[in-house]
Amino acid sequence: MARLRDCLLRLTVTIRSLLFWSLVYCYCGLCASVYLLKLLWSIGKGPAQTFRRVAREHPPACLNDPSLGTHCYVRIKDSGLRFHYVAAGERGKPLMLLLHGFPEFWYSWRHQLREFKSEYRVVALDLRGYGETDAPIHRENYKLDCLITDIKDILDSLGYSKCVLIGHDWGGMIAWLIAICYPEMVMKLIVINFPHPNVFTEYILRHPVQLFKSSHYYFFQIPWFPEFMFSINDFKALKHLFTSHRTGIGRKGCRLTTEDLEAYIYVFSQPGALSGPINHYRNIFSCLPLKHHMVTIPTLLLWGEKDAFMEVEMAEVTKIYVKNYFRLTILSEVSHWLQQEQPDIVNKLIWTFLKEETRKKD
């Protein structure tokens, strides 16, 4: 009887795995077909405009603004990769490590670099493959294990054993994983607009709306075509993410200036600059769900209610995975780009969380 039960369990796991991967590949094909139609439509309207790209040889002045901090580099001994980061605040102060999302880079934390440098050594990192950080060619170099190890090694290289860890979007995913795998490295965890990874994988399989909102996860599984689609029409898709009515920063928010937007386009228009960031997504389905998933450190989750990519219900469910103090704050009428759209509110909420005493749940 026990042997039969084990066989049925293995069969169930196998069937679920087959259904999962069938869903992944079918949706990949559907997304590719939709984007191919968009490409053909764009070419039909104006082929010259579709393939137009403006040469950008020099970075916008805002990327070298001294008020944001100092540009630094660190080479990791084991991987051999050189990481770029911008640091503000005195050495020796507690470390605040900032992990950006997609399609972003260290500059998405400009408001926080200025705000928290009075009491912290604030480090805004370019993740593996982004910006001025080295970008390995092969997709296998972007597995979640590699990304987690990067953060651990960077902390060691900076001379710290622990930090306040803040992550947004994909950086939030990595922040959750660091807190799960290396809780001793994190004093407090702050995540912006990304649920616990297990909540995400479970929710997306049960709710078609989230499957639609996360279509880019599936589209990015296809080689080279996503990079090409991002680059057509002089990176119109990139501009659209930050400025459109559906996905962009809200009308009441702190909108990106022309120079801010140009900074993003400059970084991602460099040769090969899109492959590394998109490769982060090309390993995700083989790494989730997690075997170990409980978070045991004080956690603040900030969420923009108008997030075009994440259902707000996932934020509520996340608390079951945090076996410590947990606070969720949902900001109404705010988009996915929370720390850029409402920096004053976000900074105030972070200060409050950092200064309050947090007591572990029984």
Side-chain angles (χ1 to χ4, degrees), residues 71-262:
H71 290 261
C72 307
Y73 301 86
V74 60
R75 188 170 296 278
I76 304 304
K77 186 181 296 183
D78 290 343
S79 67
L81 298 179
R82 188 185 77 158
F83 283 79
H84 168 255
Y85 63 93
V86 172
E90 296 175 10
R91 297 177 186 272
K93 289 182 177 180
L95 178 65
M96 176 183 285
L97 187 60
L98 309 175
L99 309 180
H100 62 78
F102 175 90
E104 298 174 292
F105 61 113
W106 71 266
Y107 189 69
S108 67
W109 298 108
R110 58 196 176 281
H111 303 293
Q112 288 67 45
L113 282 162
R114 292 191 181 103
E115 177 70 20
F116 295 101
K117 66 182 180 182
S118 60
E119 294 190 24
Y120 290 88
R121 174 70 168 174
V122 189
V123 170
L125 187 68
D126 276 343
L127 296 175
R128 176 185 291 228
Y130 281 83
E132 294 185 57
T133 291
D134 286 347
I137 297 173
H138 301 294
R139 61 182 288 177
E140 292 77 16
N141 296 121
Y142 295 87
K143 289 183 177 179
L144 291 178
D145 288 347
C146 298
L147 307 181
I148 296 168
T149 302
D150 284 344
I151 307 305
K152 179 179 181 296
D153 290 343
I154 285 166
L155 218 65
D156 293 340
S157 299
L158 295 176
Y160 287 87
S161 59
K162 56 178 55 181
C163 68
V164 171
L165 187 60
I166 306 180
H168 169 247
D169 182 70
W170 185 260
M173 159 82 88
I174 298 173
W176 281 117
L177 296 175
I178 290 290
I180 292 166
C181 299
Y182 298 104
E184 71 281 0
M185 289 171 45
V186 184
M187 293 183 286
K188 288 191 174 184
L189 173 67
I190 301 166
V191 179
I192 302 174
N193 280 79
F194 201 95
H196 185 284
N198 275 19
V199 173
F200 179 70
T201 52
E202 291 164 7
Y203 194 91
I204 200 172
L205 292 174
R206 297 174 183 171
H207 298 81
V209 173
Q210 184 57 51
L211 190 69
F212 174 75
K213 288 187 173 185
S214 301
S215 60
H216 59 289
Y217 280 69
Y218 297 85
F219 179 53
F220 288 169
Q221 304 309 306
I222 302 165
W224 71 263
F225 190 46
E227 289 93 323
F228 174 73
M229 287 299 296
F230 258 95
S231 67
I232 64 172
N233 289 305
D234 194 35
F235 296 88
K236 182 180 179 180
L238 185 61
K239 302 171 193 174
H240 183 85
L241 283 174
F242 291 111
T243 61
S244 73
H245 176 72
R246 189 180 75 85
T247 65
I249 290 174
R251 286 177 294 177
K252 297 180 181 179
C254 182
R255 286 181 168 270
L256 298 185
T257 66
T258 301
E259 190 176 38
D260 291 337
L261 196 57
E262 189 60 28

Side-chain angles (χ1 to χ4, degrees), residues 327-340:
R327 173 179 288 182
L328 167 63
T329 301
I330 299 173
L331 301 183
S332 60
E333 302 301 319
V334 182
S335 75
H336 180 74
W337 319 103
L338 200 59
Q339 81 277 21
Q340 299 188 75

Side-chain angles (χ1 to χ4, degrees), residues 8-18:
L8 288 173
L9 180 61
R10 284 196 295 269
L11 180 62
T12 302
V13 171
T14 301
I15 292 172
R16 286 187 65 185
S17 179
L18 287 171

